């Protein structure tokens, strides 16, 4: 499964009401580290398939959601399970570290 774009309009349905765990990448177009982890998140989304959904939320386009979840620096990754934040990671990391963190959180 490829990454999906979420925003104010579909956050409730695609993240909070999702059956599977959802990794939300809070990012912005101008953020270098965000762009660095983007391809890794795409690969992880494809590798994990239906086990997890990977969603990208542009904080410049959705500042209310970023503020609601206390995002202070980006990239911030949050794993949602059953509509709740189960884990959070701030900052860029190599694909192996991201994959290990996601697999550990969804197990």
């Amino acid at each position: 499964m490829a990454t999906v774009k979420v925003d104010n309009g579909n956050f409730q349905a695609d993240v909070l009401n999702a059956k599977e765990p959802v990794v939300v990448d809070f990012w912005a177009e101008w953020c270098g580290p965000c762009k660095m982890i983007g391809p890794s998140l795409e690969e992880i989304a494809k590798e994990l398939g239906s086990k997890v959904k990977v969603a990208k939320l542009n904080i410049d386009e959705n500042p209310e959601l970023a503020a609601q979840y206390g995002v202070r620096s980006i990239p911030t990754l949050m794993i949602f399970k059953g509509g709740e934040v189960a884990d959070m990671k701030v900052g860029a990391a190599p694909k192996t570290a991201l994959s290990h963190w996601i697999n550990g959180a969804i197990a």
Side-chain angles (χ1 to χ4, degrees), residues 4 8 12-14 18 20 26 29 39 45-46 53 57 60-61 63 66 70 83-85 89 91-93 100 105:
V4 296
N8 289 327
Q12 180 79 33
D14 286 358
E20 69 276 276
F26 291 84
E29 196 64 48
K46 287 179 182 136
K53 183 189 295 185
L57 184 131
D60 288 337
E61 296 170 1
E84 300 290 323
V85 177
K89 185 175 196 57
H100 181 75

Side-chain angles (χ1 to χ4, degrees), residues 49-68:
S50 61
K51 285 192 224 166
V52 69
K53 183 189 295 185
V54 179
K56 297 180 73 66
L57 184 131
N58 186 316
I59 64 160
D60 288 337
E61 296 170 1
N62 303 278
E64 310 84 9
L65 283 169
Q68 181 181 338

Side-chain angles (χ1 to χ4, degrees), residues 72-77 88-92:
R72 299 202 191 293
S73 63
I74 53 173
T76 291
L77 300 170
M88 182 173 86
K89 185 175 196 57
V90 178

Side-chain angles (χ1 to χ4, degrees), residues 66-105:
Q68 181 181 338
Y69 287 98
V71 174
R72 299 202 191 293
S73 63
I74 53 173
T76 291
L77 300 170
M78 293 185 191
I79 296 181
F80 287 79
K81 286 181 175 174
E84 300 290 323
V85 177
D87 204 356
M88 182 173 86
K89 185 175 196 57
V90 178
K95 180 186 172 195
T96 52
L98 292 172
S99 189
H100 181 75
W101 174 69
I102 292 168
N103 278 309

